[in-house]
Amino acid sequence: MFDILTKHTNQGNFFLTPAQDLQSICNAPADTHGIFIIYALKKGRVELIYIGHSGKIEKDGSLSNNSNLKDTIINANQFGKSPAHIAWKKQMTRENIEALNIYWYSTYNANNKDCPETLKKKLLRQHQDIFGSFPKWNKSV
């Protein structure tokens, strides 16, 4: 579904269960920016539930130097003002999610200069075109 990410070779994924600590298992790089996509595993089914990003292009053409990919995955506010490493565990319990499969892609680095914020918007539009809505953990864009 997301062919625009195939050229990004600096990528990976990891699983998170409600009993695990996101800070210790997140294997996303701390020296780059990019996209992350979260799939929920629940009752033998897989559902894409969130598309996130770290970094955006400023008016002067530079990439904002806010949090990197790893820091964004761990500490970005989710479901209000709670950092993801707390909010995701609570939400997984509320929704009876067995695990999250989190894929990350470094999209802005020495090899590629694709704006993470722009890519996220494209991915959300693709999801909406196919399924008629955004992933359930994404707010309207």
Side-chain angles (χ1 to χ4, degrees):
M1 179 165 93
F2 298 133
D3 293 338
I4 60 176
L5 295 174
T6 56
K7 73 176 185 177
H8 300 286
T9 57
N10 184 9
Q11 59 179 285
N13 77 299
F14 60 93
F15 287 89
L16 174 70
T17 67
Q20 293 175 307
D21 178 41
L22 179 58
Q23 294 152 304
S24 49
I25 65 164
C26 179
N27 65 0
D31 62 350
T32 187
H33 296 276
I35 296 289
F36 58 99
I37 300 173
I38 302 176
Y39 295 88
L41 309 173
K42 180 179 174 181
K43 296 183 182 178
R45 298 189 58 107
V46 177
E47 177 186 6
L48 190 157
I49 59 170
Y50 188 72
I51 301 171
H53 79 284
S54 72
K56 66 179 184 175
I57 301 293
E58 298 293 342
K59 291 180 182 180
D60 66 1
S62 66
L63 187 75
S64 66
N65 227 357
N66 61 355
S67 65
N68 59 59
L69 190 54
K70 182 173 190 155
D71 186 55
T72 300
I73 290 172
I74 295 170
N75 294 310
N77 287 343
Q78 293 279 183
F79 310 114
K81 295 187 178 190
S82 295
H85 68 93
I86 295 169
W88 289 352
K89 290 171 81 163
K90 288 180 181 177
Q91 195 66 22
M92 289 170 69
T93 301
R94 278 189 206 111
E95 295 184 27
N96 296 316
I97 295 172
E98 297 156 27
L100 299 178
N101 190 358
I102 301 163
Y103 286 83
W104 55 264
Y105 302 83
S106 173
T107 64
Y108 196 92
N109 53 42
N111 297 327
N112 295 293
K113 300 287 185 223
D114 292 332
C115 174
E117 182 180 46
T118 302
L119 280 176
K120 176 185 173 181
K121 288 178 181 178
K122 287 180 183 178
L123 295 173
L124 286 171
R125 275 194 299 276
Q126 281 184 358
H127 190 278
Q128 187 174 35
D129 289 346
I130 294 168
F131 298 104
S133 64
F134 289 129
K136 68 180 179 180
W137 286 10
N138 283 99
K139 294 180 181 179
S140 297
V141 175

